[in-house]
Amino acid sequence: MVRTGAEIVIECLKEQGVDVVFGYPGGSILNVYDALYKHSDEIFHVLTSHEQGAAHAADGYARATGKVGVCMATSGPGATNLVTGIATAYMDSVPMVAITCNVTLPLLGKDSFQEVDIAGVTMPITKHGYIVKDVNILADTLRKAFHIAKSGRPGPVLVDITKDVTAASCEYTPKKPESIERAGHYTQEDLDAALEVISKAKKPYIYLGGGAILSGASEEVRAFAKKLDSPVCDTLMGKGAYDGYDPLYTGMIGMHGTKTSNLGVSECDLLVALGARFSDRVIGNASLFAKNAKILHIDIDAAEINKNIHADVSIVGDLKDILTKLIARMEQMHHPEWTAHILELKEKYPLKYDDSQLSCPYIIEELDRITKGNAIITTDVGQHQMWAAQYYHYTKPRTFLSSGGLGTMGYGIGACIGAKTGCPDKICVNIGGDGCFRMNLIELATASRYQIPIIQIIINNHVLGMVRQWQTLFYGKRYSQTVLEDAVDYCKVAEGLGCAAIRVTAKEEVAPAIEKAIALQKPVVIDCRIPEDDKVFPMVPAGAAISEVFDGDDLASK
């Protein structure tokens, strides 16, 4: 059948099972939007307020559902506005296809109106990028884009299409999507080496990263941990892969990880890294990280092996597949003295905060209690992000969505819209500081336009909290450009954008506000006023060993 390039774009999206896209139209992509109009009963389009919001929404949709997120934008500034969202997805291995349209082929390379080499711009932050200049290769290019985005270590792919290609016609033949092979190329010898170091371990520790979620391996992770009889810590990206209520779960590791995780990993004799990349925020001083331990690193991306930390044993492949094979061959391990020691550390060093006044940890604990840990939590980046990781109990994968690698302020509202669009039956809550909220608050208009019932909790301390914390501890309390005292009323802003708004200034107002927001079934902003000098503890100074973790009590005793 003969189809225009624009129609081929839509048909390929349908082939791939895409039922929602996030985007913003413009001149170069008008043909695609015209074709989309004719298929609006099959593909739901969410018109965001800004292209960055579209990229973050596609990212949140992908993280929450496990499907490929799709965003679209026109040429020039439309395309460049996607860049931060694409980079966010790239750093956190999120499957996304970004479709942009460019000027016509004769105008390429001539500094034409709204012309940008977006494939060149995004080359370092995509798994792959295409410029389509021939309608005859358009369908296969789009199919390759989806396959690349999903295969191996997932990530974003960009497809830029010249406008004349979207207008041209060619023969189109539907195809079923290719199956995804994720097993990897490890050997029996790799498995044998892993089993050997496991069998010799007296003090093992499991360190979980985002790969545990991306591979769908949460059940295997839990079975492996039980058979190894090992404590478990995680990264931001690994939240929910292991049950946050399990006695041997010790919380996050790294700069704002728990004392138990940081001290335990520093003492262990075997560290099993599952789908983790040894980020600098996790390992601190690399030369001192887990220096008493053998390192067993399992990851689908061979480039991560020995990149930041040397692995004594490594297996490159799909985590779910590898753990299934290891579990089948492992003997049941018993490490009673070691696990008892870790439990003692948990009792000795619990997370704690000042509960005499309204604080972010209290708000998150109340949210956890009211939602019974079953909400999807998105966050922006900063103190609130760390508190959300520390004080909400994540028991299922794909329930904590946050920008880990890039640290993108303004990520959360778009991601929350995407998550709620993909998971309409889940309560979806974005937790963001007032500094982050300002960046993309216009996406509240998107939520109200479509009546997407997200809940935005603003942790409002009138400062850039995490930067201020560093200025307090390491910069002599010189608060350069981190104070946000002004006349902005976020409740009025929210109401002006079509959302309900609730202001919270005391602890007793928190639970009623959350319960009301859930019951309203519409977009709601809860503006929570907390003290400006609350700090996230524990903390590891930049460049220090994670064993040098300290908390408020340690600081007070100095």
Side-chain angles (χ1 to χ4, degrees), residues 134-398:
D134 180 356
V135 71
N136 293 289
I137 66 169
L138 177 58
D140 283 343
T141 302
L142 285 165
R143 290 164 184 150
K144 288 176 186 175
F146 275 88
H147 190 268
I148 291 170
K150 291 184 288 186
S151 61
R153 180 178 182 170
V157 178
L158 178 107
V159 181
D160 190 37
I161 311 164
T162 61
K163 186 173 182 179
D164 42 357
V165 166
T166 67
S169 299
C170 73
E171 188 69 26
Y172 163 76
T173 304
K175 287 186 180 179
K176 290 184 178 180
E178 290 183 53
S179 59
I180 302 296
E181 297 293 334
R182 294 176 56 87
H185 302 287
Y186 58 89
T187 65
Q188 190 63 47
E189 287 73 19
D190 293 332
L191 294 175
D192 292 342
L195 289 165
E196 182 177 359
V197 294
I198 287 170
S199 68
K200 293 179 179 178
K202 304 298 183 187
K203 299 187 290 184
Y205 223 111
I206 294 172
Y207 151 48
L208 289 178
I213 292 172
L214 294 171
S215 67
S218 60
E219 290 303 318
E220 289 74 17
V221 165
R222 297 175 195 208
F224 177 75
K226 298 303 179 189
K227 207 157 192 183
L228 183 56
D229 191 27
S230 170
V232 178
C233 65
D234 58 18
T235 66
L236 274 178
M237 295 295 98
K239 290 287 171 190
Y242 198 77
D243 185 354
Y245 284 104
D246 189 282
L248 284 178
Y249 172 71
T250 62
M252 196 162 59
I253 182 177
M255 181 171 283
H256 291 291
T258 64
K259 275 193 166 185
T260 303
S261 292
N262 285 345
L263 296 176
V265 166
S266 299
E267 295 176 21
C268 74
D269 65 3
L270 174 66
L271 183 64
V272 184
L274 303 179
R277 62 187 180 89
F278 293 98
S279 156
D280 59 296
R281 286 297 176 102
V282 165
I283 65 175
N285 187 323
S287 66
L288 299 175
F289 179 76
K291 62 181 180 180
N292 301 313
K294 295 280 189 182
I295 306 292
L296 167 57
H297 192 181
I298 304 174
D299 201 279
I300 200 163
D301 187 355
E304 291 298 340
I305 306 299
N306 298 324
K307 185 175 83 174
N308 296 327
I309 293 292
H310 171 73
D312 297 279
V313 179
S314 61
I315 308 177
V316 176
D318 178 63
L319 184 60
K320 184 182 181 76
D321 175 64
I322 292 167
L323 287 182
T324 299
K325 289 181 170 62
L326 290 177
I327 292 165
R329 293 181 56 191
M330 283 172 62
E331 299 289 336
Q332 177 62 53
M333 310 293 287
H334 299 283
H335 306 106
E337 292 182 6
W338 171 239
T339 55
H341 172 61
I342 296 300
L343 291 174
E344 286 174 7
L345 289 178
K346 279 186 72 173
E347 186 172 348
K348 184 177 180 181
Y349 300 119
L351 290 170
K352 57 184 178 180
Y353 61 92
D354 179 5
D355 62 358
S356 66
Q357 58 189 339
L358 180 63
S359 66
C360 186
Y362 177 80
I363 293 163
I364 291 169
E365 286 186 333
E366 283 295 276
L367 179 64
D368 189 15
R369 179 184 64 81
I370 291 167
T371 62
K372 298 180 173 60
N374 290 320
I376 293 176
I377 305 298
T378 65
T379 79
D380 284 288
V381 172
Q383 289 180 314
H384 62 275
Q385 178 191 32
M386 297 298 104
W387 283 317
Q390 291 173 335
Y391 287 97
Y392 197 93
H393 291 85
Y394 301 93
T395 60
K396 300 179 183 67
R398 303 192 179 279

Side-chain angles (χ1 to χ4, degrees), residues 30-46:
L30 267 180
N31 290 332
V32 174
Y33 270 85
D34 190 54
L36 181 63
Y37 181 85
K38 301 167 187 175
H39 294 270
S40 57
D41 59 333
E42 297 170 280
I43 299 176
F44 176 51
H45 180 275
V46 176

